[in-house]
Amino acid sequence: MAKEGADMTEETECMIDKNSAKDAGNVQAPGGGKEMRAVMLAGFGGLNKLRVTKKAMPEPQDGEVKIRVKACGLNFLDLMVRQGNIDNPPKPPLVPGFECCGIVESVGEKTKGFEIGDRVMAFVNYNAWAEVVCTPVDFVYKMPDEMTFPEAAAFSLNFVAAYMMLFEVANLREGMSVLVHSAGGGVGQAVAQLCATVPKVSVFGIASCFKHSAIKDSVTHLFDRNIDFMQEVKKISPDGVDIVLDCLSGENTGKCLSLLKPLGTYILYGASNTVTGETKSFFSFAKSWWQVEKVNPIKLYEENKVIAGFSLLNLLFKQGRCSLVKKVMDKLLCLYTQKKIRPVVDSLWALEEVKEAMQRIHDRGNIGKLILDVEKSPTPLMASDSTETSEAGEEEEEPEGDNDSKERMPFIH
């Protein structure tokens, strides 16, 4: 038994040494350039498609900022990207991730407003889950001095999306009521905090029962996601609610529309009900589509209801509204410095632990945001499951079923 423990200690030390060596400086690429570590998605599918790889380090182009990444945000959308469960996904292999934070390492020509050493957070059109990213200056924002890197990685996407849905789309005002699905998630908690900045706003939150004790103080009313929330809401507010924020879609769409008061607004900002298993399911997608109530414009007109959709990433990267997002970010950072809002961080994970982190999101186990901490040392058993590969992501694939039989490690605070 003692020998077995000694062997395990020796193996653990060996793995830690190996990971330390990876972090020691910038590795020279065969062509003379520098390399970095990044999470690579080799192809759409299950968790076995993700690996930590060595990749050529990018250099900033005109108008770009080069960031030495400290932490990245992990969202449910990233899980859908991994499955190929989005419209027009880029062709793999690719580096996932849409938001990160870190320190400015250099700037490209014609780049103004940032200097080497600035602490920043940024939106990235993919490629965020890496040690270094380059992104246009319009998508980069300076961090407040008191903000930590995990907080910054949890801030950008969740709070900007929550603010724009509440104030730009739904025009939240004093005395209104808001129903939010997945109230325990990153966006849900951001919504709850922003609603608290407006007097007399009631928040109806829906979340898994095991999250209730942790989030009960952030909302006015809290319901289990497995019960008939329509009846429970109407017991408290017979006329319904003014705003519904839905990240689920499917059968919830019709229920939520029926809960709207006259002049109420329903906003769809996700479709997590289409994700059931580890890989993309045509049956789940078709079922969710079939369950969505077909909206009759005449009925909307007669009932004085508004239905809307919101995608922050499309607004930034496809529709060119970065100046509007910048104004929203300025307002949010002001609220942060006034200590009126603060991102909720669920847990920190090393890049090599990305599979376990994604599984936690898939299981809806998180309260707040999951963060990939680029400098965190992985738990040895997790690290051994994320083998180093080439940039092309070539490796011996595991059978899909292996993921179910593997022991899941507990999350790391």
Side-chain angles (χ1 to χ4, degrees):
M1 194 74 175
K3 181 179 186 300
E4 194 173 308
D7 289 344
M8 184 62 76
T9 304
E10 202 169 83
E11 181 184 354
T12 302
E13 289 173 351
C14 178
M15 286 182 175
I16 292 172
D17 288 341
K18 180 183 174 185
N19 287 310
S20 299
K22 288 189 298 186
D23 294 332
N26 296 320
V27 181
Q28 289 292 121
K34 294 177 180 178
E35 285 191 334
M36 63 177 183
R37 289 160 56 238
V39 176
M40 186 70 72
L41 179 65
F44 299 125
L47 293 168
N48 66 317
K49 299 295 184 181
L50 291 164
R51 288 290 187 276
V52 174
T53 74
K54 291 287 177 56
K55 190 177 187 295
M57 187 181 295
E59 293 299 331
Q61 304 300 308
D62 289 357
E64 288 188 341
V65 177
K66 179 181 178 181
I67 303 169
R68 174 65 61 171
V69 177
K70 297 293 184 180
C72 321
L74 204 162
N75 302 286
F76 201 90
L77 178 61
D78 297 310
L79 191 154
M80 297 180 72
V81 168
R82 191 202 77 218
Q83 294 187 347
N85 209 359
I86 59 171
D87 285 336
N88 301 315
K91 186 178 178 181
L94 61 90
V95 176
F98 298 102
E99 59 181 335
C100 63
C101 63
I103 298 172
V104 174
E105 198 164 83
S106 65
V107 296
E109 295 289 332
K110 303 175 184 176
T111 301
K112 297 179 181 179
F114 295 94
E115 297 179 355
I116 294 172
D118 283 346
R119 299 166 73 250
V120 297
M121 47 190 166
F123 292 111
V124 189
N125 195 7
Y126 294 95
N127 296 306
W129 295 355
E131 290 182 314
V132 174
V133 303
C134 292
T135 193
V137 67
D138 289 339
F139 305 143
V140 184
Y141 317 91
K142 289 182 180 178
M143 292 168 50
D145 292 338
E146 62 269 32
M147 183 178 279
T148 66
F149 286 118
E151 284 182 335
F155 191 85
S156 304
L157 200 149
N158 289 352
F159 273 92
V160 172
Y163 186 98
M164 296 192 80
M165 287 190 290
L166 289 172
F167 297 103
E168 300 289 337
V169 181
N171 194 22
L172 177 66
R173 300 182 303 281
E174 180 177 349
M176 295 180 85
S177 54
V178 179
L179 184 143
V180 58
H181 287 278
S182 300
V187 174
Q189 285 296 287
V191 166
Q193 291 184 32
L194 288 169
C195 286
T197 67
V198 181
K200 300 178 182 177
V201 170
S202 298
V203 180
F204 294 78
I206 301 172
S208 300
C209 196
F210 73 90
K211 299 183 181 182
H212 285 198
S213 60
I215 67 172
K216 62 183 180 181
D217 295 333
S218 66
V219 298
T220 316
H221 309 284
L222 189 56
F223 309 111
D224 184 0
R225 68 191 298 264
N226 295 313
I227 67 167
D228 184 357
F229 64 87
M230 285 181 60
Q231 297 303 318
E232 296 300 316
V233 170
K234 286 188 174 181
K235 286 178 185 177
I236 299 167
S237 178
D239 293 336
V241 297
D242 296 292
I243 301 169
V244 174
L245 303 180
D246 182 13
C247 60
L248 305 179
S249 190
E251 63 180 338
N252 287 285
T253 301
K255 294 179 180 179
C256 293
L257 281 171
S258 68
L259 276 176
L260 283 182
K261 292 180 180 179
L263 303 181
T265 303
Y266 164 88
I267 305 174
L268 180 69
Y269 69 100
S272 63
N273 272 347
T274 62
V275 176
T276 50
E278 187 179 320
T279 57
K280 182 178 179 180
S281 167
F282 176 77
F283 174 77
S284 297
F285 181 84
K287 179 182 176 184
S288 182
W289 177 86
W290 181 257
Q291 288 176 332
V292 173
E293 182 174 310
K294 305 305 177 281
V295 178
N296 184 340
I298 300 300
K299 191 175 180 182
L300 290 176
Y301 147 73
E302 291 173 345
E303 297 182 355
N304 284 299
K305 293 181 179 181
V306 178
I307 184 167
F310 183 79
S311 167
L312 175 57
L313 297 178
N314 283 348
L315 197 69
L316 279 168
F317 300 127
K318 294 183 179 180
Q319 296 162 344
R321 299 302 177 91
C322 50
S323 59
L324 175 59
V325 173
K326 174 70 166 61
K327 291 176 183 177
V328 169
M329 182 66 84
D330 289 342
K331 293 176 183 177
L332 287 168
L333 291 176
C334 183
L335 290 172
Y336 177 86
T337 55
Q338 294 171 358
K339 302 188 185 305
K340 292 183 178 180
I341 59 174
R342 182 170 185 170
V344 178
V345 175
D346 175 80
S347 47
L348 306 180
W349 305 78
L351 291 182
E352 290 79 6
E353 298 167 342
V354 65
K355 296 179 185 180
E356 285 71 21
M358 271 203 166
Q359 186 64 44
R360 183 165 174 78
I361 283 190
H362 184 277
D363 296 340
R364 278 73 166 178
N366 57 299
I367 298 173
K369 187 88 160 196
L370 278 80
I371 304 298
L372 293 178
D373 184 341
V374 176
E375 297 181 341
K376 182 179 180 297
S377 297
T379 303
L381 288 178
M382 290 184 182
S384 64
D385 194 38
S386 293
T387 315
E388 290 280 330
T389 68
S390 68
E391 183 174 346
E394 295 170 355
E395 77 277 340
E396 184 178 345
E397 294 190 2
E398 307 161 14
E400 292 288 342
D402 284 4
N403 293 293
D404 298 327
S405 61
K406 269 182 195 166
E407 181 182 354
R408 293 284 170 201
M409 298 297 292
F411 70 93
I412 318 296
H413 281 294

